[in-house]
Amino acid sequence: MSAAAMSSDGMDAAAWDERYGAGGRVWTTLPNVWAVETLSELAPGTALDLGTGEGRHALWLAGLGWDVTAVDFSVAALRTARAVQSADAPGTTAHIDWVHADLLTYAPEPRSKDAVLLMYIHLPAAERRALVQSAARALAPGGTLLVVGHDLTNPAEGAGGPSDTTVLFTAQDVAADLAGEPGIVVRLAQRRPRDVEGAPRPALDAVVVAERSV
């Protein structure tokens, strides 16, 4: 999950700032398994990490040579991300542009990014649809969109994640969000199990990979 996820329980930027400012990291520093599978073999280019949180995927991609724009609405989360970057590469801010913005109003430049990530951003359906479509429009020709979230079935059958099913989705929901977007081809839309340390059963993720063909 990311700081940019506003759920129906009213969590907003201030609530996430409080959570991130409580001390210590909220999330792991390791990239998500589906991000590694989808993006690690691509030639580095320009990437957009929407809802970057503490920046784990932005920092990972920058380490692979990508130029990354990382967006989140939590000042505290971005502060942590910048601190990690400074500790890893003192004296440089190369590869990452940290942007403080609300994903619901942020407007990326169309057809400008070789990869766009939406990782565990959980919103009501209409807001999710608008965000997914905006993310797709940011793809340059040949670019890859990765959308990952806790699957709708995860509260009952998986582990961790939000319990509010009104902000969860299936891979088919995201594929439907992308239907009709010119030039966007869905390459993969699956429910996938993901091992969680200490959990009695895997988490269930909705995973969608799409590309811009033209």
Side-chain angles (χ1 to χ4, degrees):
M1 185 185 294
S2 156
M6 179 183 289
S7 67
S8 60
D9 65 4
M11 292 194 75
D12 57 13
W16 280 103
D17 277 340
E18 183 177 356
R19 186 173 183 183
Y20 282 118
R25 290 186 64 92
V26 175
W27 313 115
T28 177
T29 60
L30 300 176
N32 173 267
V33 61
W34 314 128
V36 173
E37 177 184 283
T38 304
L39 303 173
S40 61
E41 298 302 320
L42 298 182
T46 56
L48 176 62
D49 184 14
L50 293 168
T52 191
E54 294 165 308
R56 62 171 173 150
H57 292 110
L59 292 160
W60 171 68
L61 286 168
L64 295 177
W66 291 76
D67 290 317
V68 185
T69 300
V71 184
D72 207 279
F73 72 176
S74 170
V75 171
L78 293 174
R79 185 184 303 118
T80 296
R82 289 190 180 99
V84 172
Q85 183 185 20
S86 296
D88 288 347
T92 180
T93 56
H95 301 307
I96 306 178
D97 180 19
W98 302 104
V99 177
H100 177 226
D102 189 329
L103 296 190
L104 299 181
T105 56
Y106 178 74
E109 182 181 351
R111 303 172 68 89
S112 63
K113 303 299 182 183
D114 299 306
V116 180
L117 294 79
L118 278 171
M119 305 297 293
Y120 301 97
I121 308 300
H122 297 106
L123 296 164
E127 294 175 351
R128 182 202 69 236
R129 186 175 305 112
L131 180 58
V132 167
Q133 292 172 353
S134 176
R137 291 167 191 158
L139 285 180
T144 298
L145 169 66
L146 174 63
V147 181
V148 178
H150 298 287
D151 189 82
L152 182 63
T153 62
N154 189 64
E157 303 175 26
S163 59
D164 180 1
T165 58
T166 66
V167 298
L168 300 180
F169 54 86
T170 68
Q172 288 66 40
D173 290 333
V174 175
D177 294 343
L178 293 168
E181 285 294 314
I184 301 298
V185 179
V186 175
R187 300 297 187 192
L188 181 149
Q190 295 179 346
R191 185 182 80 158
R192 289 184 160 187
R194 173 176 48 83
D195 290 337
V196 178
E197 185 177 357
R201 58 189 181 184
L204 299 174
D205 288 340
V207 182
V208 177
V209 179
E211 298 176 356
R212 176 174 294 284
S213 59
V214 293

